[in-house]
Amino acid sequence: MGQEILDLLVSTFWMILGIAGIFAIYLAISAGCWFVHSLFTRNRAGTGYGSLKTVTFGDESSVVANRIASIAAVVAVFVLWGVATGSNLLPFTLPQPFTGDTQFEYTAVNPAGDTDTGMVFVRVHAFGEEGVEKPEGKDGGDGFAKDDIVVVAERRSKVLRVQNNDEGGKEDGFRVTHVNGQPISSDSPVTYSDATVEMTGKGSLFIKPDTGWTMEALYLPPPEQVWKRFWQLNAEGYQNVGLWENVFWSLIRVVVGFGLGCLFGIPLGFAMGLNSWMRGWFDPIVEFMRPVPPLALIPLVIIWFGIGEQGKISLLFLAALWIMTIAARAGVSGVNISKVHAAYSLGATKRQILSKVILPNSLPEIFTGARVAMGVCWGTVVAAELVAAEKGAGKMIIAASKFQLTDIVIVGIILIGIIGYMIDIMMRQAENFLVPWKGRG
Amino acid sequence: MSGLVIDDVSMTFELPDGGKVEALKNINLDINEGELMSVLGPSGCGKTTLLNILAGFLAPTGGKVALAGNHVTGPSSERGMVFQQGALFEWMNVSKNIGFGPSMAGVDQGTINAKVNELLGIVGLQDFGEKMIYELSGGMQQRVALARCLANDPDVILMDEPLGALDALTREKMQSLVLDIWKETGKTIILITHSVEEALLLGERLLVMAPRPGRVHTEYRLPFAELGVGADLREVKQHADFGPKRDEILNMIWDMEEEIMGRTETA
Ligand SMILES: Nc1ncnc2c1ncn2[C@@H]1O[C@H](COP(=O)(O)OP(=O)(O)O)[C@@H](O)[C@H]1O
Ligand SMILES: [Mg+2]
């Protein structure tokens, strides 16, 4: 227990360093962009009322998102991505792993004490490339040490017993002493421009082509690979399910679950806002369920409903229900009592007060709740699909991750983000259209 | 017996901590039909409570209220209410707001439209029928509130500091409007204010209330409202009696406030 806590603290410490490092890089880029930007705008006076303000620091209204900064930030993310993954879209990236042909010379000593040199021709090919031809090498050579040929994938390494084809190579006392003229042993490897050559305990050579600094596509593929994968998914789908079919299934679940949540949550919230008994009756369950994250319900939902649609929709229903209930309840409680009094004085009946005053008056709150609920539902559906689904955005990325198809995972994550963002924008537009009086009462 | 009768009304609030507040104690008033009465008093003397009882939003703990002989037991369209602010329906445009009462009563749309147009003219908002509430200034919003109340043709109009949030110039125009409406429609109007000048201008009868317990302190009959109809209110304020009356009442309220302060300080 104590050890675990200690480990936790240690890894937290490293995380702080790591996060601070990443922030520092990103902020340094930001500072650079800002500097360049300020060179261009230095002599241009701002326009509009805001530019005449002398107090801007601390005046929230004078802080407006600088759109150039936003664009630069997004570009910076892509550039960093490209640099770190060795994208071929960029003129400069971190040093990439070595690929292509290289060769080195080894020196061997035979039991008789004679020395001779042989060449090793190495062909390093891209990871995953198949049917790579062997490089050409002069086989033979003039002495007892014969040339060798080896094929290895980038970032991978290979053990090679160069002495196997040498004359007398299998006799005791035959050993390799130098690589490229430098002495080699099991604890002193030789590095040259393209690769590192190590020696194993048994005297074999261990060839490691230079791995460079870029990330391997298995961890993070370069942008162009993700882009290509996107178009491929768009055309062919993955595991017999189209990309948009997956997205469609996620969306339809959200829409149905959210719809059910509204259908029951809004009337429930109204009942709680209008009636003491109902408020008392539902208060405990609402207050209890509110802090339970929907994800915590996934196991229970799977036990109850299996992995079919019903389970996922029930989950989304539960995710939306409490949010909508609370929003509707807040909407009713938030009605200015003088509006209700005015309506009664104008002769409205209870039913008319409900439909003409309380309902429209609570729409802004309901919309705020709906936006939150939509966001939660979208997150929940993806998580639920990760656990159990046959189709859906979450299902696609979890299936791809099992085959280490990181590019599909990233396509999925980007799509999930974009769709979530678009849902929020749509909700905001609907809000502006349907409750134009929001915030202006 | 067609007026508003307030018969020995008392209102005692029980506080959660067990204490009691006598917001109103033994109020007796007869308000005749067509009378314009303003109510003045330091804050906390029970003005809003009294108005809420008249409107039927609160049941008094003692006594009763009757309009034209009918016991008041709840809100009704015969007693219209104009609030200070925020009582308009933002989700409806100006015309819909004004037509709210008749449309709730199921009056046909043609009649409502005619009524709304007439009222838009009366309150000076001819071209604003299609505007939304949040597009209007505070003064215009109060005009809408007044028109909405009039659309129902109530017997009594109750106003709780309707002009309190307006700037001085707008307020003066609205005061003239209230006087004009009073004269033209002949409605009984009870208006709460905390401006002494407004109380003098908009009250044939002026009630000064005193706090703890809330009660009627002094009652005046004043000529200024009658003089102000259709006239320039600034001239009315030049009337020989206006200044002295204003000072007298100001002093009275000032003394009450001092007394409250003194009492809370010694308490
Ligand atoms: N619902 C209530 N519960 C308890 N006390 C109240 C309530 N409403 C008003 N009061 C008290 O009654 C008194 C009169 O209030 P109010 O009528 O609002 O005064 P005014 O409108 O003259 O400022 C005040 O002391 C106030 O605190
Ligand atoms: Mg008040």
Side-chain angles (χ1 to χ4, degrees), chain A residues 240-264:
Chain A
N240 297 324
V241 186
L243 177 63
W244 302 109
E245 198 182 345
N246 277 319
V247 169
F248 170 81
W249 276 100
S250 299
L251 277 174
I252 199 98
R253 288 172 190 140
V254 167
V255 168
V256 174
F258 169 78
L260 286 176
C262 290
L263 192 65
F264 290 92

Side-chain angles (χ1 to χ4, degrees), chain A residues 189-206:
Chain A
V190 173
T191 300
Y192 72 105
S193 59
D194 299 336
T196 300
V197 184
E198 290 173 15
M199 181 172 274
T200 65
K202 289 178 178 169
S204 304
L205 294 185
F206 188 71

